[in-house]
Each structure stands twice: as C-alpha cells, then as structure tokens.
C-alpha cells in the first residue's frame, strides 16, 4: 500500500483521478475549519511565551525532527530555555505526559523519545497540544515553546512558523490528500516565516538544510564496540522517505546487502529484526533505534545525523524571536 501511495503522489500514477473527489471533500472540510478561525468563530489559544511551529504542508517525513533538534541547540546557545510539545504520533496518551530520557517510544512516540534522548529538553506530549503546552509551562522552566508538527493545528496560537519541504520529492503531484500529499495548498507557504528545504536544491526564498552524518552508534547504548567498515549490513528504515537513508549510507561507503522499508512509525517485531541480523549487521535510523533499545543485539547500529543551516537563517530566526519575546513581555506588563 505504501508503495502504491508513493506512485500516486510522486510518480504520476493515474489512480489519483479516482481519489480526486475525496480530495475535494478534504478541501471543503479544511477550508471550513480555517474559516472558523479566520472569521472569529473559533479562537486560537495565545500563550505567554513565543511559540515556534515546525511543520509541513505535506504528509510524510520531511526533516522536522532534525530541525527541532537544531532549534533546541541554537536557542540554548543564545540563552533561551526551550521546551517542546508534540502530539506523540501513533500512541494513545491519556491526557498529557512528560517525556523523560528513558521514555519508551511505544509510550510517548518515536520522535519525542528520540528528541529527548538526544537533547534532554523538557518535553510534553498529548493529543491536545494546548494542554501539553500549558503543562510544559506549569511544570518546567521554559521561555520558548517549539511545537513538533502542528502547522495545521490552528487552535494553538503561534508566533513563528517553519514549513519543511523534502528537496527531492517536493510537493509531488500538487494534489490534496488523498489524491496527493498536500495537507494544504501551496498558497499556505506564503504565510509562513521560513521554508526550509531538506536536501535541496533550494529554490528562491527557501533555506537549504543538509543532514550531516556522524559516526555510527550501537542501538544498545550500554555497549561500546567499534564498527568495522568491512562489515556488510542490512539497512532498514521506518521513516517518511526511506530511500533518502539508503542513498546516504551507500554514499558513505557501507556495504549494503539488503534494504528493508517499514511503514513510518511502525512498531518492530524483535524476532523479525533478529532474523535480519543473523549474518550481517543491522543498520537503521536514529528514530528507528529508539524503538529497539530494549531488545537490541550487539550488531545493531544506527546513523545519527545533524541538521546544518546557514548563519543567515540563524540570524533571521533569532532576530524574529527577539521581537516576539519583547512584544510578549511588554503585553505581560500591560504596555
């Protein structure tokens, strides 16, 4: 099914014509929903600290998690105390839940577990982002909130919007769901503060982001073996664009004997993964690794990647954030 969807969205498969009526219904529902906020029938919840939303207008992965991690580190370097909220995709959470460094992906979601494992940032997940944000402010010392996804969650007031685009796949056939990958039309990009292009080539008005690989790490963090470049590997990925990962490890010179694609956010069967790694090392993404920590074998490895953006973006982001923070502070003092 995932391969068929990819062909429809990105390779011109004619099945899109049968799905266009459903895309029309999706357009109608989403248009009405936006109009309720635009015309004041519904109101967004405004929070006392700046809110940065990192999202996209397409379904599937486009690099949001590396961008969130980059922002956490950038803000910390300049004296801010960021916190993160997320829906916790694919898990059922009763209310909201704080994410600690040892949180299981099955309890809080793979991306939240990865973000906290990497950064130890204060983070709260829940299906209601406003409740998650309020809990974050009440229980942690934060002065900026980063929302991991949520560009279309208009109930949450936001001060800065960042839209990610996959530089290879871009916007596919430009159709709305389910005939295409778009959650909103391309017009939506005119209202965001930054469009970040993951992988390029970046078009006019887009900020190029590259993902730089680091040294391989063992999935079981209690082990400290050295990976030999002579090892052959089975590569697996359960992310939005698995082929990007496979291309990366091939370019890095790893000997890939087999590639396995899983559905994004899929829970893994330990028995299946054990069978894949009997004769070869198993190489996966960092997001997949957080789901395998409890049953990882010694020959399971993951490839960390770090987002890299230019200094112009850093300056523009920090300048915009400073303006927002000053405005919020002024309002809180009745100015």
């Amino acid at each position: 099914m995932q391969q068929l969807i990819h062909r429809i969205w990105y390779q011109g498969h004619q099945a899109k014509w049968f799905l266009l009526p459903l895309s029309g219904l999706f357009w109608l529902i989403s248009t009405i929903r936006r109009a309720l906020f635009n015309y004041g029938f519904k109101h967004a919840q405004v929070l006392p600290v700046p809110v940065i939303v990192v999202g996209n207008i397409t379904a599937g992965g486009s690099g949001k998690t590396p961008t969130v991690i980059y922002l956490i580190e950038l803000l910390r370097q300049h004296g801010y105390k960021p916190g993160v909220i997320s829906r916790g995709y694919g898990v059922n959470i009763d209310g909201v839940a704080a994410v600690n460094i040892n949180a299981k992906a099955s309890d809080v979601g793979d991306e939240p577990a990865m973000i906290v494992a990497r950064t130890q940032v204060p983070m709260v997940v829940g299906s209601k982002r406003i409740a998650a944000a309020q809990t974050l402010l009440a229980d942690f010392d934060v002065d900026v909130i980063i929302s991991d996804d949520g560009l279309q969650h208009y109930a949450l007031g936001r001060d800065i919007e960042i839209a990610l685009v996959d530089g290879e796949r871009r916007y596919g056939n430009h159709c709305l769901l389910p005939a295409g990958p778009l959650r909103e039309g391309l017009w939506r990009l005119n209202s965001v503060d930054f469009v970040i292009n993951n992988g390029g080539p970046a078009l006019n008005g887009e900020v190029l982001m590259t993902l730089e690989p680091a040294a391989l790490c063992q999935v079981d963090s209690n082990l400290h073996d050295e990976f030999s470049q002579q090892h052959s590997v089975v590569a697996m990925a359960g992310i939005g664009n698995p082929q990007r990962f496979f291309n990366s490890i091939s370019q890095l010179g790893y000997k890939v004997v087999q590639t396995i694609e899983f559905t994004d956010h899929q829970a893994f069967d330990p028995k299946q993964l054990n069978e894949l790694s009997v004769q070869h090392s198993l190489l996966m993404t960092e997001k997949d690794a957080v789901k395998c920590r409890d049953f990882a074998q010694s020959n399971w490895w993951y490839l960390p990647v770090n987002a890299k953006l230019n200094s112009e973006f850093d300056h523009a982001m920090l300048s915009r954030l400073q303006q927002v923070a000053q405005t919020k502070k002024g309002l809180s003092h009745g100015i």
Side-chain angles (χ1 to χ4, degrees):
M1 178 60 71
Q2 187 174 2
Q3 293 180 349
L4 175 60
I5 291 173
H6 186 272
R7 291 198 296 270
I8 295 172
W9 289 0
Y10 299 106
Q11 297 177 357
H13 195 287
Q14 296 303 305
K16 78 171 186 180
W17 298 107
F18 297 99
L19 297 174
L20 281 176
L22 294 176
S23 294
L25 179 61
F26 179 87
W27 172 84
L28 178 62
I29 294 172
S30 58
T31 298
I32 293 173
R33 183 168 166 269
R34 281 192 302 269
L36 292 175
F37 286 97
N38 291 338
Y39 292 103
F41 295 102
K42 287 189 175 183
H43 299 280
Q45 177 68 50
V46 178
L47 297 175
V49 301
V51 175
I52 304 170
V53 173
V54 180
N56 54 20
I57 64 167
T58 58
S62 55
K64 292 188 297 294
T65 302
T67 305
V68 168
I69 292 172
Y70 182 90
L71 289 173
I72 292 168
E73 295 172 347
L74 175 67
L75 298 186
R76 283 174 168 171
Q77 289 168 8
H78 289 83
Y80 291 97
K81 295 175 288 187
V84 181
I85 60 172
S86 174
R87 189 181 185 280
Y89 186 88
V91 296
N92 294 317
I93 298 172
D94 185 13
V96 299
V99 183
N100 62 56
I101 192 170
N102 296 313
K104 295 181 182 296
S106 58
D107 293 332
V108 300
D110 47 17
E111 288 154 348
M114 172 185 164
I115 290 170
V116 173
R118 174 78 81 94
T119 67
Q120 292 80 59
V121 71
M123 186 168 188
V124 177
V125 297
S127 59
K128 296 182 178 179
R129 286 188 176 86
I130 294 172
Q134 291 171 335
T135 300
L136 186 65
L137 290 173
D139 295 350
F140 299 93
D141 182 19
V142 302
D143 56 14
V144 180
I145 292 177
I146 301 170
S147 177
D148 178 21
D149 211 357
L151 197 62
Q152 290 76 36
H153 188 73
Y154 291 107
L156 175 67
R158 70 283 308 271
D159 303 288
I160 300 174
E161 291 185 325
I162 299 174
L164 274 293
V165 56
D166 186 314
E168 297 176 356
R169 302 188 301 183
R170 296 197 66 81
Y171 305 106
N173 59 17
H174 290 200
C175 293
L176 292 173
L177 292 166
L182 296 184
R183 299 172 175 178
E184 295 181 283
L186 296 182
W187 58 266
R188 180 67 169 87
L189 299 176
N190 296 325
S191 62
V192 304
D193 296 274
F194 303 96
V195 177
I196 294 180
N197 183 312
N198 179 14
L203 303 185
N204 186 40
E206 297 177 346
V207 179
L208 176 63
M209 178 177 75
T210 57
L211 298 178
E212 296 188 339
L216 292 188
C217 298
Q218 286 184 280
V219 176
D220 185 342
S221 60
N222 295 313
L223 302 175
H224 304 283
D225 298 338
E226 292 289 334
F227 182 86
S228 171
Q229 200 75 16
Q230 302 303 314
H231 289 175
S232 57
V233 301
V234 172
M236 55 164 277
I239 57 176
N241 186 358
Q243 193 58 48
R244 179 190 292 276
F245 173 67
F246 299 147
N247 292 343
S248 296
I249 59 177
S250 294
Q251 292 167 5
L252 290 169
Y254 295 108
K255 298 181 179 180
V256 181
V257 297
Q258 184 181 7
T259 60
I260 309 292
E261 291 188 18
F262 292 98
T263 304
D264 196 9
H265 304 289
Q266 178 177 334
F268 297 126
D269 177 4
K271 181 179 179 180
Q272 180 184 12
L273 299 191
N274 286 335
E275 292 173 351
L276 290 175
S277 59
V278 170
Q279 296 182 348
H280 307 283
S281 295
L282 190 62
L283 181 54
M284 64 188 73
T285 70
E286 187 173 5
K287 191 174 88 165
D288 293 324
V290 300
K291 294 184 286 187
C292 302
R293 291 181 296 194
D294 291 341
F295 51 84
Q297 303 299 312
S298 61
N299 64 337
W300 294 11
W301 303 80
Y302 69 88
L303 179 70
V305 295
N306 298 305
K308 182 179 179 180
L309 292 98
N310 58 43
S311 58
E312 288 80 6
F313 168 79
D314 292 355
H315 177 76
M317 166 59 70
L318 293 169
S319 177
R320 175 78 179 113
L321 180 57
Q322 184 179 35
Q323 293 173 358
V324 172
Q326 289 176 343
T327 300
K328 296 258 185 181
K329 185 176 180 180
L331 292 173
S332 68
H333 288 82
I335 298 176

